[in-house]
Amino acid sequence: MDLAQRHPAPGPDHTPARPVADPGRSATTGRGRAEAASGPVATAASPAGTDQHARHRDAARAGWKGILREPFTAATWLRLAYLLLALPVGILCVPIALVGGPAGRIQRGLARRLLGVEVAEPRRTGPLALAHAVISLPLNLVALTVSAYFWTVVVINLAYPLRPDSDPTQAWGGPTMAGAWAVHGIGGGLSFLFITPWVMKGFTLLQARLVEGFLGADRAGLLKATGIALAVTALCALLSIPVIHQL
């Protein structure tokens, strides 16, 4: 056999050539990989913090808007209507409940129409309708009295120049009418204008809870709500003593 056939000459090498490492390119690629790895994290972290601050800012802005809007919402005036009607309707429901009349249905209807409280009618209320009519009477009286007093403070201070006893020379902010009106209008009028709706909301929430507990099917927390109602009534009665002496 020919020697050339037994040992053929080496041909072109088909083994893939290994790329020669480029130090500059490797450094650039490594830096690019590092930037690619850290870039999205940093980019994602920054908007997350920004979004969190924006949410807090929006929540605070919405809270202030709610406070400023509350005196002019329909819900506030519906609560005022409920406070005006709860006392006479409650007094009327005492004899109705004594004779077995629909006292519970009347009270549930009033809370549903003016407060939006949906109370499922139980199979029978029995003496609970009478208990609600009696226990809610002092709370209804206090709620109406406090709310009426607060709204009176709003009106007489905002309309200070129209009062017959408005003498700016002897009043806070005097001796000019503009100064006295500014002090009374801002200090007594506007402050009570934005406080009173929240006081009314607290009273109506408690009144609605008594309706749900006594006249509905849910008795959970009824004893606690009754205790809070009686405590609020007693506290308001004590605080009214110095106010009455000043009148």
Side-chain angles (χ1 to χ4, degrees), residues 9-231:
D13 189 2
H14 295 286
T15 303
R18 296 180 180 178
V20 179
D22 186 356
R25 184 177 180 182
S26 299
T28 305
T29 306
R31 186 169 59 251
R33 280 197 295 267
E35 291 176 354
S38 62
V41 176
T43 305
S46 178
T50 304
D51 292 343
Q52 186 176 6
H53 289 303
R55 283 195 296 269
H56 288 309
R57 189 168 54 250
D58 293 341
R61 189 180 298 115
W64 279 109
K65 286 182 179 179
I67 293 174
L68 296 177
R69 249 193 335 255
E70 192 66 24
F72 312 104
T73 60
T76 294
W77 298 105
L78 289 174
R79 292 188 193 103
L80 180 59
Y82 182 84
L83 292 172
L84 292 173
L85 294 175
L87 181 61
V89 170
I91 295 174
L92 182 64
C93 284
V94 172
I96 293 177
L98 284 173
V99 298
R105 189 180 307 166
I106 295 172
Q107 296 277 32
R108 284 192 301 269
L110 185 66
R112 182 178 62 253
R113 290 184 179 88
L114 297 180
L115 300 181
V117 178
E118 293 291 340
V119 181
E121 184 174 357
R123 294 179 180 178
R124 46 184 295 182
T125 55
L128 288 178
L130 178 61
H132 173 265
V134 173
I135 292 175
S136 63
L137 275 181
L139 179 63
N140 294 340
L141 175 61
V142 166
L144 177 59
T145 304
V146 172
S147 301
Y149 175 76
F150 275 35
W151 282 117
T152 303
V153 171
V154 173
V155 173
I156 64 176
N157 282 282
L158 290 179
Y160 178 78
L162 302 178
R163 288 166 49 179
D165 60 338
S166 59
D167 182 9
T169 60
Q170 303 295 327
W172 288 355
T176 63
M177 178 60 75
W181 190 13
V183 171
H184 286 77
I186 296 175
L190 291 180
S191 60
F192 274 80
L193 176 65
F194 295 113
I195 292 173
T196 304
W198 299 98
V199 174
M200 292 167 44
K201 181 181 287 189
F203 278 123
T204 53
L205 284 175
L206 190 53
Q207 289 168 312
R209 185 64 194 93
L210 293 182
V211 172
E212 293 170 347
F214 280 102
L215 306 177
D218 184 12
R219 303 280 191 270
L222 177 57
L223 185 60
K224 180 180 178 180
T226 303
I228 293 174
L230 295 177

